[in-house]
Amino acid sequence: MGTLIRFELKKILGNKAGMAACLLVLAMLVAVAAANLLTMDSIDTETGKWVHGVDAERAYRHVQESHAGTLDDDRIAEDVATFDSADRLSQETEGLYDLSNEEIVERYGLPFWQETRGVLEDGYYMEIVGTLESASPRATSLEDGARARIDASLENGFWGYHSYTDAETSYWLNMVDEVSWPLEWGYDGGWHYALTWRGFTGLAIVALCIALSGVFAGEYRDRTAAVVLPTRRGKRALPAAKAVAAFLFTTAYWLVLVVCILAIHVGFYGTDGWDLPMQVTFGLDNPYPLTIGQAVIASYALGYVVALGMTALTLLLSSRMRSTMPVAVVPMAIVFLGIIGLFSTPLAKIALLTPFSGLSYAFDAMVSYAFGSIIIDLPMALAVLYLVMLIAFIPLAIRSFRRHQVT
């Protein structure tokens, strides 16, 4: 059996189109990470000027670290006072909004810019004040502001179209109650981008499916099925060996992919922020009571489950089709139709069950599916769906190959 598995792994690795697709995805992830850093823009609070690339990342890190700490009510009151003072001073200064940052510094001096535009354009203050103003009148507690924003989202429905049932509303409010307040704020470094770009692993799943498209169909295409199936082990050990080899390849590729993603982003931006609440990355109204580190682990573990389910689907298609082309095209179509489906709001909750779209929004939005009183959120729905595919499709694929008629 071990010899058969090694032989099948060699055949998978010999799929030039599949290997090219897998390597292309890895190269793309590196390119995206580099492009994200090189095209980054931020305001340097020490000069009032826009900076780019590596300098922008340093400036952004400096700002985030300057706000690090516990967001308790006293701290929030001070921050709101700072923001309101900046807003009031900006309105009292005639023509200020028509000036660029550099012009404000040149005309009024750097300290004035830091007290006005430097505060108003700081993402931290915008998030804090915006959250408080979600309540009417403006909340004095960050928790109350976040809760008001969540209540409004639940009332309006997902994307303003998919209404929440009473059971769904209760489900999300119970989850929100588990978030520990007051929150800690800080710089979340590479973990932020590892979560932001996790949806791109959906493209890696497409590459995996291309690499595995010939596991069974290749035997039909090359007419070797007529040779191997009539042998003593052809109907017994060979199909199982093919399935095991496919899952070993999926596991190995996923590990390489995750290591590359984390190494690239953490290497660029540092390891800080692992233990911060994920609300720092996804917004203060995020309902999940997880740290950023826990969200990273959960997201990529979920991605692995999705990859296994898509592997099982690919093997089933491969066992039933004589050509490898449609085997590769079907998973690709599922992924890209899922992306397109997000542009049609009525189809959004279905589209979110596909790899790229689902992994992009998992742990990031209040997406849930109601089956009477049973409620499952998007991450759980993805896990259940692709585990069912894994369990159901593998026996069918093996059975289909064993029953293939040879001439």
Side-chain angles (χ1 to χ4, degrees):
M1 187 67 169
T3 301
L4 280 176
I5 293 173
R6 287 194 296 272
F7 180 70
E8 292 302 325
L9 277 171
K10 288 181 180 179
K11 290 172 67 175
I12 293 172
L13 295 172
N15 181 344
K16 294 182 180 179
M19 293 305 102
C22 290
L23 292 174
L24 180 62
V25 169
L26 289 176
M28 184 191 70
L29 289 171
V30 174
V32 167
N36 184 64
L37 177 65
L38 295 175
T39 59
M40 185 175 183
D41 294 320
S42 183
I43 296 178
D44 186 346
T45 56
E46 295 182 354
T47 64
K49 298 180 180 179
W50 280 95
V51 289
H52 312 282
V54 176
D55 291 336
E57 166 56 23
R58 291 172 180 165
Y60 173 75
R61 179 179 187 130
H62 173 74
V63 170
Q64 289 294 90
E65 289 178 341
S66 70
H67 297 305
T70 303
L71 303 182
D72 55 32
D73 291 349
D74 291 339
R75 158 77 183 275
I76 294 304
E78 293 177 2
D79 290 336
V80 169
T82 299
F83 182 89
D84 289 343
S85 174
D87 185 44
R88 183 172 57 255
L89 185 56
S90 297
Q91 293 183 28
E92 292 172 352
T93 306
E94 185 177 352
L96 187 69
Y97 289 103
D98 297 326
L99 301 177
S100 67
N101 291 324
E102 289 81 0
E103 289 171 334
I104 294 175
V105 172
E106 181 179 352
R107 181 176 300 184
Y108 297 102
L110 180 60
F112 179 85
W113 175 88
Q114 292 171 332
E115 294 174 2
T116 53
R117 184 76 60 82
V119 171
L120 298 179
E121 294 189 352
D122 187 331
Y124 167 78
Y125 288 107
M126 295 169 66
E127 176 68 13
I128 295 299
V129 176
T131 299
L132 295 176
E133 290 183 343
S134 296
S136 181
R138 178 198 278 178
T140 57
S141 165
L142 201 58
E143 180 179 3
D144 292 341
R147 186 63 175 260
R149 182 175 288 180
I150 290 170
D151 288 341
S153 297
L154 290 173
E155 183 178 348
N156 293 332
F158 175 63
W159 285 1
Y161 182 87
H162 299 276
S163 299
Y164 294 98
T165 66
D166 291 340
E168 285 179 290
T169 299
S170 177
Y171 173 87
W172 288 113
L173 292 179
N174 288 337
M175 183 178 292
V176 169
D177 288 339
E178 296 180 16
V179 176
S180 180
W181 296 88
L183 299 174
E184 289 291 321
W185 189 270
Y187 175 73
D188 48 0
W191 309 113
H192 170 91
Y193 294 105
L195 284 172
T196 302
W197 296 99
R198 69 198 186 283
F200 276 90
T201 57
L203 300 181
I205 292 174
V206 172
L208 275 172
C209 294
I210 294 174
L212 299 174
S213 60
V215 170
F216 292 114
E219 305 288 3
Y220 309 149
R221 179 197 60 200
D222 299 336
R223 300 183 183 278
T224 53
V227 177
V228 299
L229 279 173
T231 63
R232 181 171 61 88
R233 306 181 68 184
K235 289 183 179 293
R236 292 170 49 225
L238 182 60
K242 287 179 173 293
V244 171
F247 286 113
L248 286 176
F249 177 79
T250 296
T251 300
Y253 184 69
W254 194 260
L255 286 174
V256 171
L257 181 74
V258 172
V259 169
C260 286
I261 291 174
L262 296 183
I264 291 167
H265 290 104
V266 174
F268 278 167
Y269 305 104
T271 61
D272 295 348
W274 172 267
D275 56 346
L276 292 174
M278 66 182 300
Q279 284 73 20
V280 173
T281 289
F282 286 146
L284 297 175
D285 57 341
N286 184 280
Y288 286 93
L290 301 172
T291 65
I292 292 175
Q294 291 170 336
V296 168
I297 294 172
S299 294
Y300 286 97
L302 177 62
Y304 178 57
V305 172
V306 173
L308 291 177
M310 290 298 289
T311 295
L313 172 62
T314 302
L315 293 182
L316 178 60
L317 295 171
S318 183
S319 71
R320 292 180 175 271
M321 297 181 178
R322 293 181 177 274
S323 172
T324 60
M325 180 62 71
V327 179
V329 168
V330 171
M332 188 182 304
I334 290 173
V335 171
F336 286 101
L337 286 175
I339 298 173
I340 295 172
L342 293 180
F343 294 94
S344 175
T345 304
L347 299 176
K349 291 182 73 171
I350 297 175
L352 286 169
L353 294 174
T354 60
F356 185 99
S357 301
L359 293 175
S360 295
Y361 282 87
F363 304 106
D364 189 13
M366 291 190 294
V367 184
S368 52
Y369 302 84
F371 303 93
S373 60
I374 300 175
I375 308 299
I376 57 175
D377 59 12
L378 178 58
M380 182 59 68
L382 290 170
V384 170
L385 173 62
Y386 288 94
L387 281 174
V388 169
M389 289 171 58
L390 173 64
I391 295 170
F393 291 168
I394 290 304
L396 291 175
I398 292 175
R399 181 183 180 188
S400 180
F401 184 70
R402 286 173 175 170
R403 293 190 170 190
H404 178 71
Q405 298 297 316
V406 298
T407 56

